[in-house]
Amino acid sequence: MHEMALCESLLQLIEEQQRRHGFRRVRRVRLEVGRLAGVEVEALRFGFDVVTRGSVAEGAALEILEPPGRAWCMACEAEVEIAHRYDPCPRCGGYGLGVRGGDAMRVLDLEVD
Ligand SMILES: [Zn+2]
C-alpha cells in the first residue's frame, strides 16, 4: 500500500512547515489527488490518521479534491476527460491519448493554529 508512504512524506512536509512557521497544530490539510494519480483516497485517509497520531497534525481534517483526468486525443485534436489512465477517448474510442492533467498529488494548503 503506497498510500502509507505518501502519508509519511506528507507528514514530513507538514513538520518542515511547522519548524519554519512555528504553528501549534494543523486544523485542516487540503490535498489535490488527481483521478489518474493511482492513489486510493480511502487508503490515504486511513494512512493519514495512523501516521499523524501523536504529531502536530493529529486530528486534522483531511480535505481531498479529486480533479478528473485530462488527456489530449490526437484523432479528435481535442482535450477530453478520462476516468482511468488507459481508457480510450470518450469521443472517438481511440487510444491515441496523452495525459495532460489530473495525474498528480499535491498539497494545496494547510490551515493551522
Ligand atoms: Zn478522440
Side-chain angles (χ1 to χ4, degrees):
M1 188 168 98
H2 75 129
E3 283 77 7
M4 214 51 142
L6 289 174
C7 288
E8 276 161 11
S9 315
L10 176 59
L11 180 61
Q12 278 175 13
L13 189 144
I14 290 171
E15 287 177 335
E16 195 184 301
Q17 291 293 312
Q18 200 263 334
R19 277 193 294 275
R20 197 173 302 167
H21 301 288
F23 48 79
R24 280 183 301 120
R25 71 183 194 103
V26 180
R27 290 157 61 99
R28 194 174 62 132
V29 179
R30 273 203 322 146
L31 279 186
E32 183 182 278
V33 180
R35 289 187 195 277
L36 306 183
V39 176
E40 271 304 328
V41 166
E42 281 318 304
L44 197 65
R45 288 188 183 285
F46 173 77
F48 184 79
D49 284 347
V50 173
V51 165
T52 57
R53 223 164 270 167
S55 80
V56 70
E58 180 166 5
L62 185 61
E63 198 177 304
I64 300 176
L65 305 182
E66 296 177 83
R70 289 185 293 108
W72 178 260
C73 176
M74 286 183 279
C76 298
E77 297 189 327
E79 194 174 272
V80 294
E81 272 189 16
I82 53 173
H84 303 100
R85 186 171 285 271
Y86 300 108
D87 279 358
C89 171
R91 289 198 189 189
C92 69
Y95 283 89
L97 298 178
V99 171
R100 279 273 178 90
D103 58 343
M105 169 175 152
R106 64 197 176 101
V107 178
L108 296 174
D109 51 42
L110 302 176
E111 201 180 293
V112 299
D113 277 340

